[in-house]
Amino acid sequence: MRRPFTCLPMLTTALMVVSTLFLRTAPPATALQVVTVRGGTVLYAATGAQCVVGFNAKSTTTPPAYHGVMIGHCSGTYKTTWYADAARTTPVGVTAGASYPIDDYGVVRYTSNTLNLPGDLALGGGALQDITGAATPAVGQSLCHVGRASGVHCGTVTALNVTVNFAEGTVHGLIRSTTCAEPGDDGAPAYTGTLAVGFLVASTGNCTSGGASYYQPVPEVLSAFGLTVY
């Protein structure tokens, strides 16, 4: 009688291979880098511009789309990609719209799904300012802004609907205050209490001799794009 053929050696080898595959430790998944962008954060455009986010805002749609508002004479009125780093390796969004002159604002629509987008402001030294809404201030009301170069300064609103002439044209409807500013503070988010007021588009003087600061009102930008701060 013919001896039956057996596959034991081959079967043993196969089982060892399968066991090795199941018992081998899987390589760790690459962690997603979460980038935080809030009011006061600098974004870098593909055009070379470096602009400060005034405030984060979201649309009233479901699900909401998230945006950052900033000064238009920095952002430019053309569509471009924005990055979280100066090397421009971490894209965060694209220009959704802008107006300059006449108004002075730009809006970035965030497109990355690895962003942390709190609605507060960075005041420096780890301090944060909560923002719960937006409003147009009254003359005589206190107003503070946080400048990229000089930090937090406060003053008093002295006029509304102010016109300022720039080389590129005239900007209307600005807020003026006694809050001082230094070179490099352009785009500084301005607030009163927990309310977003505007962002710095121009200033005179400095924080040694005093001066005046001018702001693009935030409510106008939010209304134009159907956004709310949070």
Side-chain angles (χ1 to χ4, degrees):
M1 179 183 291
R2 190 154 79 198
R3 186 175 178 180
F5 179 73
T6 176
C7 296
L8 276 179
M10 295 176 61
L11 180 61
T12 302
T13 302
L15 287 173
M16 289 176 65
V17 170
V18 172
S19 298
T20 302
L21 288 174
F22 275 100
L23 293 175
R24 184 182 298 165
T25 303
T30 302
L32 292 176
Q33 180 184 4
V34 178
V35 175
T36 296
V37 179
R38 54 167 44 94
T41 298
V42 177
L43 295 184
Y44 303 84
T47 58
Q50 300 180 20
C51 302
V52 176
V53 175
F55 299 91
N56 281 337
K58 64 181 180 180
S59 68
T60 56
T61 59
T62 304
Y66 289 84
H67 300 72
V69 297
M70 60 178 61
I71 50 176
H73 73 256
C74 182
S75 71
T77 57
Y78 33 78
K79 190 168 185 176
T80 188
T81 301
W82 293 85
Y83 299 84
D85 59 319
R88 296 172 177 82
T89 60
T90 308
V92 298
V94 296
T95 305
S99 178
Y100 179 73
I102 301 178
D103 298 303
D104 196 350
Y105 62 75
V107 178
V108 174
R109 177 174 59 83
Y110 298 122
T111 55
S112 172
N113 60 2
T114 61
L115 294 178
N116 178 37
L117 300 169
D120 52 26
L121 303 179
L123 302 183
L128 301 173
Q129 171 63 53
D130 188 29
I131 296 297
T132 60
T136 300
V139 172
Q141 190 168 1
S142 174
L143 176 152
C144 299
H145 70 222
V146 51
R148 179 183 179 188
S150 66
V152 177
H153 295 282
C154 299
T156 302
V157 175
T158 56
L160 304 176
N161 297 317
V162 177
T163 296
V164 174
N165 296 315
F166 294 89
E168 298 83 0
T170 302
V171 176
H172 303 277
L174 300 179
I175 301 163
R176 185 178 68 209
S177 86
T178 61
T179 313
C180 73
E182 296 283 354
D185 283 343
D186 269 15
Y191 58 95
T192 178
T194 62
L195 298 178
V197 170
F199 35 90
L200 182 69
V201 301
S203 62
T204 60
N206 54 50
C207 290
T208 300
S209 61
S213 292
Y214 300 84
Y215 308 89
Q216 165 67 49
V218 168
E220 178 185 2
V221 186
L222 301 179
S223 176
F225 286 83
L227 304 175
T228 60
V229 294
Y230 54 91

